[in-house]
Amino acid sequence: MAQIKAAICREFGGPLSIETVTLRPPEGREVEVTLDAVAICHSDISYADGIWGGTLPAIYGHEAAGRITAMGTGVRGLKLGDTVIATLILSCGTCGSCASGRPVACETPKPEDSPLTDADGTPLPQPMQIGGFAERVVVDQSQIARVPEDLDPASAALLACGVITGVGAAVNAAHLRAGEDVVVIGAGGVGLNAIQGARIAGARRIVAVDMTDEKLDTARDFGATDGVLATGNPVTEARAILGRGADVVLVTVGAIRAFQDAPDYLAPGGRVVMVGMPPVGAAATYEPVNLASAGQSLIGSKMGDTVLSRDIPWLVDLHAQGRLKLDELVSKRWTLDQINDAFDDTRSGGARRNVIVF
């Protein structure tokens, strides 16, 4: 049993506490990863603030990178010392969804037990199957993907969620074709990667919509051709820029108003891809007859419909070619002891991605 430091949420909306916890060794198909970096995603904050419910105490964190330091007897294809990312995509490989190439929608119930316990022996749940706000994690080997040794761990960690979610939404979920027009609502960490995905897929115009000129300038750095302030009349302005409606609208924020307005941007035959995660109970309303008569569609995208063994090598290669920005996504590096400050900075809305480095 290993004694490690971790950031524990004991009260929704309260500060995380840095404590010493116990991590059991990996069993069966499990892998232990000693972390070099873990990024802070807005999903972590939503959980910690109680927006999605859950059981406390708990350890959040799900964008992690590090090195394999122990393995269960059932692990295949990995070795000690491999540099890897750890994701929340836990898949059995055999259910209907996994067998049809959608491991993000694995239908096998997730295990309820956790490899972590606190000083009193109380189990510490990992709501996103990782518990990455800790010095080490034990995860299933399906959650692991190898990355190059020379890739900055802070950048590599972003591949575990923000990058695959954004790029995958454009490429895998939207099936974006070269020459199509795209609107991306939200230019945060996921939105910037959706913009990158649209650029890589060959979009003609990419219109970013956000609340500040500063974020729109950043969106242009990542590939947006145009920017529209959400504080004005973004639908009218975006349609004027495109000369028509958009073929694809990628909603990367959790604000319900963005989901409500998204279909208004669409051209006939266009599709809205829903990526952001609003609070439980928040609802948008549409007139189905309008969507049906225009041949439009609403598509949900979880983790960019990613297949790790297919998409991570592709994205790593794009980065090596200079076609995918990773290092530029890192806003600031923090220590684990500074995690509450990093949370506050992320809540302010200006950060692309804050990263805890060990």
Side-chain angles (χ1 to χ4, degrees):
M1 297 287 188
Q3 301 295 304
I4 62 171
K5 287 174 63 178
I8 302 177
C9 180
R10 293 192 175 277
E11 176 187 359
F12 288 132
L16 305 184
S17 59
I18 308 300
E19 303 178 28
T20 298
V21 301
T22 299
L23 179 70
R24 65 161 173 76
E27 303 169 350
R29 288 168 38 92
E30 293 177 334
V31 176
E32 179 191 87
V33 181
T34 296
L35 297 188
D36 294 315
V38 60
I40 296 173
C41 176
H42 275 281
S43 294
D44 298 312
I45 293 176
S46 294
Y47 264 117
D49 285 347
I51 290 174
W52 296 335
T55 301
L56 295 182
I59 298 179
Y60 303 111
H62 64 280
E63 287 184 295
R67 293 153 285 113
I68 295 177
T69 46
M71 298 187 296
T73 57
V75 174
R76 300 291 182 268
L78 298 170
K79 66 181 186 300
L80 294 177
D82 279 347
T83 52
V84 298
I85 60 169
T87 82
L88 60 77
I89 304 174
L90 172 59
S91 57
C92 69
T94 57
C95 70
S97 292
C98 289
S100 61
R102 298 199 67 241
V104 297
C106 178
E107 299 167 43
T108 299
K110 303 297 185 284
E112 295 184 1
D113 61 320
S114 169
L116 291 158
T117 54
D118 68 11
D120 296 329
T122 302
L124 294 168
Q126 304 161 295
M128 286 173 277
Q129 314 302 324
I130 295 183
F133 293 149
E135 293 174 318
R136 300 186 208 174
V137 298
V138 168
V139 298
D140 186 81
Q141 76 166 81
S142 65
Q143 299 173 252
I144 295 292
R146 281 190 295 239
V147 295
E149 292 182 6
D150 59 355
L151 184 59
D152 181 352
S155 300
L158 306 184
L159 288 167
C161 178
V163 176
I164 57 178
T165 298
V167 174
V171 176
N172 298 331
H175 299 293
L176 184 62
R177 297 185 295 275
E180 290 191 310
D181 290 320
V182 181
V183 169
V184 178
I185 303 177
V190 173
L192 293 175
N193 286 297
I195 289 167
Q196 293 204 92
R199 169 175 51 79
I200 291 164
R204 182 185 76 102
R205 288 269 183 166
I206 306 169
V207 180
V209 179
D210 211 301
M211 300 295 289
T212 68
D213 286 318
E214 181 182 6
K215 295 188 79 170
L216 295 180
D217 288 341
T218 301
R220 290 184 180 92
D221 292 339
F222 280 77
T225 60
D226 303 273
V228 170
L229 285 170
T231 53
N233 192 337
V235 174
T236 299
E237 292 182 44
R239 294 181 73 96
I241 289 168
L242 299 176
R244 58 194 290 273
D247 298 296
V248 173
V249 177
L250 298 156
V251 186
T252 69
V253 294
I256 199 63
R257 177 64 184 272
F259 289 87
Q260 183 70 49
D261 293 345
D264 295 338
Y265 291 91
L266 289 179
R271 53 244 190 239
V272 171
V273 180
M274 299 178 286
V275 186
M277 300 283 284
V280 172
T285 57
Y286 308 105
E287 292 189 51
V289 65
N290 293 335
L291 295 169
S293 64
Q296 297 163 336
S297 56
L298 305 175
I299 301 167
S301 177
K302 180 181 180 182
M303 297 295 291
D305 291 359
T306 298
V307 178
L308 291 176
S309 60
R310 176 194 68 197
D311 294 337
I312 296 303
W314 169 60
L315 293 168
V316 166
D317 192 48
L318 287 176
H319 175 254
Q321 296 177 48
R323 297 168 61 196
L324 178 75
K325 294 179 183 289
L326 289 181
D327 304 335
E328 296 85 348
L329 288 165
V330 178
S331 301
K332 188 174 179 180
R333 298 162 192 253
W334 310 74
T335 66
L336 185 62
D337 291 334
Q338 296 173 311
I339 193 168
N340 289 305
D341 294 331
F343 262 46
D344 289 340
D345 188 71
T346 303
R347 284 189 182 99
S348 72
R352 296 181 292 278
R353 266 302 192 266
N354 282 312
V355 181
I356 305 297
V357 292
F358 297 90

